[in-house]
């Protein structure tokens, strides 16, 4: 990274430093010498992708230089991330885009910065050696960031001119260790906060029960009695779990203790409360996307602060890997941004023998996922249920002085508990120059959590509550926690068992951890603080107790379903495994233990007094099935798996969803040649078709019959699988619209509020397991396919499949589609594209710069996931995909007996966020072609792969 103007300045600095620049990277050209902040010389090598490899005598010096180098590479992103989590973005962009104020109003409710400050205070006061190391690392990292900022302000460095009016170094607020802790909390929040899901699920289920299940007579609504369980479906499409049931030991050997019957319920069990619609509307408005609507462009999807889209992680043991090696793969999915979310880094520390290679979050020291030479680990989305939402009954306190909530304490005493108030000062400005502010007051229920406020998005301010009921949220992230200790201890762990022990401090949110070590062990754990609720909270059953309580629905605020405070699910029952008989472990956001496979997530019973429940917000299981199938194919292979095989699986774009649902489509299309009596509405429909529409159906059938379920982009060359991929996914939109939209419209609920995992569970059950749903007596098929409120015989799903296919083919032929009726010209990559939005509010930083996006293979359920979705048809420019891909293998050298860990990675961006650098987006180019960069580990490898070096004195 030689920039002649910068090098001339650094050369002057080097001339003033009377000390040697010789070090481990002497084979590389010297690009800068810095006389700042370290006790002993620190040497930094940049490899061919700009990754900084830092060689230091002490961790304090390594942390300082990591802060300096990271700030050089990502300072604007670091600033945005800390402000996003802390709710201070409006200080930068509030006058440019008032929608940013709404984001701050939401994030202040979560109190990330005050909680991070509490953590920092406790760590500083601690005498524990781990805490002392953490404090030193955080403080030195902050000092390094601030040293870079001083050099930037003094002209040693300059801001990329392409950032335009998005960055002002003169008003940069000094970095604090608390800022790093805020970003770590923000990351855990993004992986685990599910309160909006629970509120949405409750609204849907309440409306379905009220409109359909409780309808009487012979009305269309009464004919749909029971569809609440059809549309609130937890049974996955593919039933592949990481392990077969809840474990009962830290190292699960597959033995299960006996389970009693479920923890609830007697006939007098409490009922799920009825939530007023206005409360739902207020919550939906508060959690709605706030970003990207203003005149200054997009800061990135606001969904970033709620959840990542998913992830794939797996580990493979020595038997499948051909002996003497174990392997790990992680592929985390989420909203993409420019710059990319993760920051690859390498810390080599002589004192203590630390050698950390991996990725961290911009603004966070150390390594979040990676290797220390003995152990490799990754963290991804966990999906455990660590949130609960309560409907509070509110009245003026009898003693005066404010409002109280009605609550029965754990000892059974009825109480009127005062609501607490905390006030936040939202500063509003331009690039750090404050021009105004507003005060925002939040209500807090002491035994639950914050009350969801109402927001006026036209005035960008909170609206005082006036109603007698409101929603509060309990969340494991609303307490002082110390996950930072786990990150520190993982760096010192030398085995999977050590790694599990290091994670004991992980109590905030839930993450999915995969590990391998040089002792040839593999492991997986979902370590988290999993709240255990009162027995009544587990009463819901979709067949016989539809109105009882469930942790994933809004529960009464009176205490009936409260957490047993200080009593999480004990560690032996947390989903986990080490060295399983299958010799692999797969986690792809699917149900880890199979608790939802029968559609009854709360029937796992009680073991040793503990109700076994982890969550329901899992993926449909298609990625887990595909990965498991591919891994299992290597079992017994003489050669064994390699890292290249692991990479091929990560890049797999096979359409598992197409494979599951296309047979039902072809069965319906077969009626073109094989007319039958039932369903009675099919033949009249076909007879009435125009010749053009009948030809469209014949063309669709011919294309789908030959589909291998590959989903290629096929922009540069024709591919017979491209057209059927486009046909299938366009058909999915129109089928959902025709079959489901009417029932949802009748309850005033937008069907597209459901995520793709829920939609595919419903559609798959309708077509592959119709008898499991409420069926029409006339068609013997799901009643959902009948057009709601339309007089006449019921519509069959067979007919709706055909109608949706005519819709799809007509659309694909139109100017909005491919503007041609020739399917040979229908290239999936022309409709299915990737666009990466900027994190800064400058549309000019969007990737790619041109109007069309990057053509992408795959679909929303392929292993190489691309989040197109089915809500819209035509060109879909998704901003979702893999935010990182890491492969690692721990091998044992047959000759020397020396164990080593090697890594490869791929990223959708570049290490250095600066258009003047060759590393601004060079890794994106390898990512788009499914290629990986080897991560140099040893000094020799670094010098061989290097391009320049820096020295700090």
């Amino acid at each position: 990274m030689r920039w002649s103007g910068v090098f001339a300045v650094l050369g002057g600095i080097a001339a003033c430093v009377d000390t040697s620049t010789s070090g481990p990277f002497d084979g590389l050209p010297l690009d800068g010498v810095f006389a700042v902040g370290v006790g002993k010389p620190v040497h930094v090598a940049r490899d061919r992708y700009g990754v900084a490899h830092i060689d230091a005598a002490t961790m304090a010096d390594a942390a300082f230089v990591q802060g300096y180098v990271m700030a050089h590479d990502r300072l604007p992103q670091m600033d945005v991330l800390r402000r996003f989590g802390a709710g201070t973005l409006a200080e930068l962009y509030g006058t440019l885009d008032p929608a940013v104020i709404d984001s701050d109003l939401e994030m202040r409710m979560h109190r990330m910065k005050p909680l991070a400050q509490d953590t920092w205070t406790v760590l500083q006061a601690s005498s524990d050696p781990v805490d002392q190391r953490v404090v030193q690392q955080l403080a030195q990292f902050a000092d390094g960031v601030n040293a870079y900022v001083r050099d930037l302000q003094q002209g040693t460095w300059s801001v990329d001119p392409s950032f335009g009016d998005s960055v002002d170094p003169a008003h940069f607020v000094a970095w604090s260790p608390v800022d790093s802790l805020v970003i770590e909390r923000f990351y855990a929040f993004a992986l685990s906060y599910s309160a909006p899901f629970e509120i949405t699920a409750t609204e849907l289920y309440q409306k379905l029960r009220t409109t359909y299940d409780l309808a009487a007579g012979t009305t269309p609504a009464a004919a749909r009695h029971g569809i609440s369980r059809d549309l609130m479906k937890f049974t996955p499409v593919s039933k592949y779990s990481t392990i077969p049931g809840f474990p009962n030991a830290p190292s699960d050997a597959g033995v299960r203790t006996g389970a009693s019957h479920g923890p609830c319920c007697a006939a007098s069990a409490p009922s799920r409360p009825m939530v007023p619609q206005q409360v739902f509307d207020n919550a939906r408005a508060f959690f709605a996307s706030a970003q990207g609507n203003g005149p200054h462009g997009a800061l990135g999807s606001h969904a970033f602060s709620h959840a990542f889209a998913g992830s794939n992680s797996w580990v493979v043991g020595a038997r499948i890997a051909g002996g003497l090696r174990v392997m790990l793969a992680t592929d985390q999915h989420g909203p993409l941004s420019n710059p990319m979310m993760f920051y690859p880094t390498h810390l080599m520390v002589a004192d203590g023998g630390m050698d950390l290679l991996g990725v961290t979050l911009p603004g966070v020291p150390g390594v979040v996922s990676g290797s220390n030479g003995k152990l490799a680990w990754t963290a991804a989305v966990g999906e455990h249920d660590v949130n609960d939402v309560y409907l509070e009954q509110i009245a003026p306190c009898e003693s005066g002085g404010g409002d109280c909530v009605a609550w029965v304490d754990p000892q059974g005493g009825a109480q009127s508990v005062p609501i607490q108030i905390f006030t936040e000062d939202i500063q509003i400005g331009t690039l750090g120059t404050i021009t105004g502010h507003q005060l925002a007051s939040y209500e807090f229920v002491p035994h639950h959590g914050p009350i969801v406020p109402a927001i006026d998005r036209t005035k960008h301010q909170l609206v005082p509550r006036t109603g007698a009921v409101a929603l509060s949220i309990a969340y494991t992230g609303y307490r002082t926690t110390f996950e930072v200790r786990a990150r520190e201890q993982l760096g010192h762990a030398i085995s999977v068992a050590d790694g599990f022990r290091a994670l004991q401090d992980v109590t905030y949110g839930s993450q999915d951890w995969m590990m391998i070590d040089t002792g040839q062990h593999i492991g997986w754990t979902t370590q988290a603080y999993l709240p255990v609720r009162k027995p009544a909270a587990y009463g819901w059953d979709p067949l016989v107790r539809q109105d009882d309580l469930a942790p994933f629905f809004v529960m009464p605020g009176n205490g009936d379903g409260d957490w047993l405070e200080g009593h999480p699910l004990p560690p032996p029952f947390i989903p986990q495994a080490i060295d399983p008989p299958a010799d692999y472990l797969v986690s792809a956001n699917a149900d880890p233990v199979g608790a939802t496979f029968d559609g009854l997530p709360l029937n796992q019973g009680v073991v040793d007094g503990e109700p076994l429940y982890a969550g329901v917000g899992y993926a449909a299981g298609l990625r887990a099935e595909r990965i498991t199938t591919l891994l299992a194919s290597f079992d017994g292979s003489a050669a064994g798996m390699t890292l290249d095989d692991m990479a091929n699986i990560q890049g797999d774009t096979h359409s598992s969803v197409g494979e599951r649902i296309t047979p039902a489509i072809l069965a319906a299309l077969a009626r073109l040649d094989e007319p039958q009596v039932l369903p009675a509405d099919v033949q009249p429909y076909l007879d009435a078709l125009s010749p053009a529409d009948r030809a469209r159906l014949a063309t669709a059938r011919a294309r789908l019959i030959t589909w291998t379920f590959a989903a290629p982009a096929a922009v540069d060359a024709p591919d017979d699988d491209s057209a059927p991929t486009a046909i299938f996914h366009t058909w999915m939109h129109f089928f959902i619209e025709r079959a489901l939209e009417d029932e949802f419209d009748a309850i005033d609920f937008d069907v597209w509020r459901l995520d793709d995992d829920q939609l595919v569970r419903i559609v798959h059950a309708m077509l592959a397991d119709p008898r499991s749903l409420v069926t029409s007596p006339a068609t013997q098929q799901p009643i959902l396919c009948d057009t709601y409120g339309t007089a006449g015989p019921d519509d069959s799903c067979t007919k709706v499949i055909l109608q949706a296919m005519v819709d799809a083919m007509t659309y694909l032929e139109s100017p909005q589609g491919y503007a041609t009726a020739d399917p040979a010209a229908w290239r999936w990559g022309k409709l299915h594209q990737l666009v990466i939005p900027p994190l800064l509010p400058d549309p000019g930083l969007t990737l790619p710069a041109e109007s069309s996006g990057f053509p992408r293979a795959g679909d929303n359920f392929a292993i190489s996931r691309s989040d197109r979705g089915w809500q819209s048809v035509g060109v879909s420019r998704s901003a979702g995909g893999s935010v990182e891909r890491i492969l690692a293998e721990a091998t044992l050298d047959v000759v020397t007996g020396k164990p080593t860990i090697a890594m490869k990675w791929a990223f959708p961006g570049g290490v250095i966020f600066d258009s003047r650098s060759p590393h601004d987006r060079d890794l994106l180019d390898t990512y788009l072609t499914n290629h990986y960069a080897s991560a140099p580990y040893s000094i020799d490898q670094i010098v061989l792969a290097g391009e320049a070096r820096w020295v700090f004195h």
Side-chain angles (χ1 to χ4, degrees), residues 7-8 218 255 268 448 503 563 852 870:
F7 184 70
T218 58
V255 179
S268 59
H448 287 154
L503 294 175
W563 294 359
S852 60
W870 294 310

Side-chain angles (χ1 to χ4, degrees), residues 555-701:
M555 292 194 287
N558 63 4
D560 284 342
D562 277 11
W563 294 359
L564 301 179
E565 193 58 42
H567 184 102
L569 190 66
F573 302 111
I574 298 292
Q576 60 190 281
I578 294 178
D579 296 333
D583 207 38
Y584 57 78
L585 292 159
V586 175
S587 172
N589 311 120
D591 185 340
V593 295
T596 62
F597 286 2
D598 59 359
L600 305 172
L602 302 180
N603 72 341
Q604 299 304 294
V606 178
V607 178
D608 299 341
E610 303 295 340
L612 299 182
Y613 167 75
V616 298
Y618 303 116
L622 290 161
R623 285 180 286 118
E625 176 185 17
R626 177 69 176 168
I627 295 167
T628 301
T629 300
L630 293 174
L631 292 179
S633 69
F634 286 92
D635 199 357
S637 167
M641 285 195 73
T642 66
L643 274 190
D644 287 341
D645 295 322
M646 300 278 274
N648 289 337
I649 294 176
Q650 280 191 334
D652 184 81
T653 56
H654 180 88
S655 179
S656 295
V657 64
E659 187 173 23
R660 283 292 188 137
I661 293 176
T662 298
I665 301 174
L666 288 173
L669 290 170
R671 303 300 180 92
L672 289 168
D673 302 325
E674 303 168 10
Q676 297 182 20
V677 175
L678 293 175
D681 60 343
V682 174
Q683 195 59 48
Y685 169 75
L686 290 174
D687 291 342
L689 279 178
S690 68
D693 283 345
R694 194 175 184 92
R696 290 184 176 102
L697 292 179
T699 299
R701 182 187 182 195

Side-chain angles (χ1 to χ4, degrees), residues 278-308:
Q278 186 60 54
V279 173
F280 284 132
D281 293 342
N282 288 344
R284 184 167 68 256
F286 182 73
F287 289 118
S289 173
Q291 307 267 358
N293 299 320
H296 218 62
L299 283 166
S301 170
H302 194 56
F304 176 84
S305 67
H306 295 309
F308 275 23

Side-chain angles (χ1 to χ4, degrees), residues 21-89:
T21 60
S22 179
F25 307 125
D26 282 351
L28 300 176
L30 182 64
D31 205 26
V33 180
F34 307 85
V36 287
V38 297
K40 295 182 179 180
V42 177
H43 300 269
V44 180
R46 293 276 194 180
D47 66 25
R48 63 171 58 101
Y49 291 104
V51 178
H53 303 261
I54 300 170
D55 182 86
T58 66
M59 180 53 79
D61 285 348
F64 178 93
V65 173
Q66 187 184 33
Y68 190 101
V69 173
M70 189 187 296
H72 167 275
D73 296 349
R74 300 285 189 89
L75 186 66
Q77 181 187 28
M78 293 164 60
D79 196 21
V80 166
L81 289 179
R82 67 168 170 171
R83 290 177 177 278
F84 209 154
T88 60
L89 265 180

Side-chain angles (χ1 to χ4, degrees), residues 122-453:
V122 172
L123 291 171
Q124 285 181 298
S126 173
S127 60
D128 183 274
V130 173
D131 291 347
Q132 291 176 345
R133 293 199 304 267
V134 168
V135 167
Q136 183 186 53
Q137 185 187 50
L138 288 168
Q140 286 293 104
F141 177 86
D143 288 346
V145 174
N146 293 325
Y148 170 79
V149 173
R150 286 193 297 273
D151 285 351
L152 177 64
Q153 292 168 340
Q154 293 168 8
T156 302
W157 304 102
S158 62
V159 173
D160 181 356
S162 70
F163 293 168
D165 297 326
S166 301
V167 177
D168 180 6
H171 291 89
F172 182 85
V173 177
W175 197 267
S176 160
V178 173
D179 294 323
S180 297
L181 293 173
V182 166
I183 293 174
E184 288 197 87
R185 294 189 71 85
F186 186 27
Y187 179 62
F189 175 85
L191 296 181
S192 62
Y193 191 70
S194 62
F197 160 79
E198 296 183 4
I199 295 170
T200 299
T202 305
E203 180 184 1
L204 173 60
Y205 193 65
Q206 180 173 299
K207 288 183 171 182
L208 292 172
R209 290 281 297 149
T210 302
T211 302
Y212 298 117
D213 291 2
L214 303 181
T218 58
T219 64
R224 286 158 174 77
H225 177 85
I227 66 168
S228 62
R229 63 177 177 269
D230 298 348
L231 297 176
M232 185 58 62
K233 198 161 191 64
F234 296 113
T235 306
V237 174
S238 298
K239 299 179 180 180
Y240 281 74
S241 59
T242 310
I243 57 174
F246 280 89
N248 63 3
S251 180
D252 182 47
V255 179
R256 304 287 180 269
T257 54
S260 69
H261 291 294
C264 188
C265 271
S268 59
S271 296
R272 178 173 41 79
M274 290 292 292
V275 181
Q277 185 59 45
Q278 186 60 54
V279 173
F280 284 132
D281 293 342
N282 288 344
R284 184 167 68 256
F286 182 73
F287 289 118
S289 173
Q291 307 267 358
N293 299 320
H296 218 62
L299 283 166
S301 170
H302 194 56
F304 176 84
S305 67
H306 295 309
F308 275 23
S311 56
N312 303 315
S313 294
W314 65 90
V315 287
V316 173
R319 187 185 77 238
I320 292 180
L324 302 180
R325 82 158 62 94
V326 291
M327 296 185 294
L328 173 150
T330 188
D331 176 16
Q332 192 163 206
H333 304 150
L336 300 182
S337 66
N338 179 29
M340 65 184 185
M341 183 60 219
F342 288 101
Y343 181 80
T345 187
H346 188 188
L347 303 176
M348 297 171 283
V349 184
D351 183 10
M354 295 289 291
D355 194 356
L356 296 173
L357 174 68
V359 299
T360 188
L361 299 161
V364 175
V367 165
V368 173
S369 295
S371 169
N372 60 14
K374 301 288 194 303
L375 176 75
W377 67 93
T378 65
V381 182
E383 305 290 4
H384 287 337
D385 184 354
V386 295
N387 305 253
D388 278 341
V389 183
Y390 303 95
L391 184 68
E392 305 287 356
Q393 303 295 325
I394 303 173
C397 298
E398 294 180 0
S399 59
D403 288 341
C404 287
V405 296
W407 184 56
V408 178
D409 65 31
Q411 288 71 44
Q415 295 194 27
S416 183
V417 181
I419 295 174
Q420 299 174 356
I421 306 294
F422 66 90
T423 300
E424 296 287 317
D425 188 359
I426 308 294
Q427 301 287 317
I428 304 168
T430 303
L431 305 183
T433 299
I434 306 304
T435 57
H437 75 104
Q438 64 172 270
L439 297 179
S441 294
Y442 298 82
E443 298 178 301
F444 190 90
V445 178
H447 48 276
H448 287 154
I451 287 177
V452 179

Side-chain angles (χ1 to χ4, degrees), residues 705-763:
I705 283 175
T706 63
W707 191 20
T708 69
F709 306 111
V715 170
D716 297 326
D719 191 297
D720 289 341
D721 284 315
S722 186
T725 304
I727 291 169
F728 170 78
H729 286 286
T730 307
W731 173 87
M732 278 292 285
H733 167 84
F734 287 109
F735 181 79
I736 291 167
E737 194 175 70
R738 279 187 172 273
L740 302 178
E741 200 167 50
D742 51 345
E743 279 84 7
F744 280 83
D745 285 347
I747 61 171
D748 193 23
F749 192 101
D750 185 359
V751 67
W752 300 112
R753 288 174 61 189
L754 300 186
D755 64 29
D756 287 351
D757 283 296
Q758 181 70 352
L759 287 171
V760 79
R761 284 193 289 262
I762 296 169
V763 172

